[in-house]
């Protein structure tokens, strides 16, 4: 099991996770419904170039919404198209982008460069 921590302050950003594969499901729900989460809770997948870790939206309890309202745009949720919209709740470092709008996937993409698997010694 892996717990991802903030690279800056070492606060845990996730609970225990294990590698997994994206869930397959219907293409898009009709109307303004939010899609089912892309990943099962408790799992993550490294994206194709290793720069992002794709997680279930509920697997980042150590994060908070960005203070810049321009990062939180969306009609039914967060579009995730305006830069990172989740920060470490301990120090405010930008750590992830959440997509949860009616026209996007439903996921959190942790920035691999902003996290570590184990806390660094202080």
């Amino acid at each position: 099991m892996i717990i991802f921590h903030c690279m800056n302050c070492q606060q845990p950003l996730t609970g225990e996770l294990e590698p997994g594969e994206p869930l397959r499901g219907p293409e898009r729900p009709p109307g303004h419904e939010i899609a089912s989460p892309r990943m099962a809770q408790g799992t993550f997948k490294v994206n194709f170039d290793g720069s992002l870790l794709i997680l279930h939206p509920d697997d980042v309890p150590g994060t908070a919404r960005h203070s810049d309202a321009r990062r939180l745009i969306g009609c039914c949720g967060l579009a995730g198209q305006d830069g990172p919209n989740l920060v470490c709740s301990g120090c405010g470092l930008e750590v992830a982008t959440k997509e949860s709008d009616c026209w996007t996937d439903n996921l959190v993409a942790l920035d691999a460069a902003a996290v570590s698997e184990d806390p660094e010694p202080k």
Side-chain angles (χ1 to χ4, degrees):
M1 294 292 214
I2 295 170
I3 297 175
F4 291 104
H5 296 81
C6 173
M7 187 67 80
N8 187 51
C9 73
Q10 311 315 316
Q11 172 174 289
L13 299 172
T14 70
E16 292 185 340
L17 302 173
E18 61 185 4
E21 291 298 321
L23 301 172
R24 299 287 177 221
E27 286 296 312
R28 298 285 331 136
H32 290 282
E33 294 180 41
I34 295 172
S36 298
R38 188 75 175 121
M39 298 296 296
Q41 196 159 10
T43 66
F44 74 97
K45 175 79 175 174
V46 178
N47 78 332
F48 68 96
D49 67 1
S51 65
L52 300 172
L53 307 164
I54 309 303
L55 284 71
H56 187 282
D58 294 336
D59 281 338
V60 287
T63 65
R65 286 185 171 205
H66 204 289
S67 61
D68 183 349
R70 294 173 294 185
R71 303 280 182 100
L72 306 176
I73 294 172
C75 65
C76 299
L78 299 174
Q81 305 300 306
D82 299 297
N85 54 24
L86 295 179
V87 299
C88 171
S89 60
C91 70
L93 181 71
E94 294 178 349
V95 293
T97 301
K98 181 175 183 178
E99 294 182 13
S100 61
D101 212 350
C102 58
W103 60 274
T104 66
D105 279 332
N106 188 3
L107 57 83
V108 167
L110 272 180
D111 179 352
V115 302
S116 64
E117 289 185 24
D118 295 306
E120 298 292 323
K122 290 189 176 186

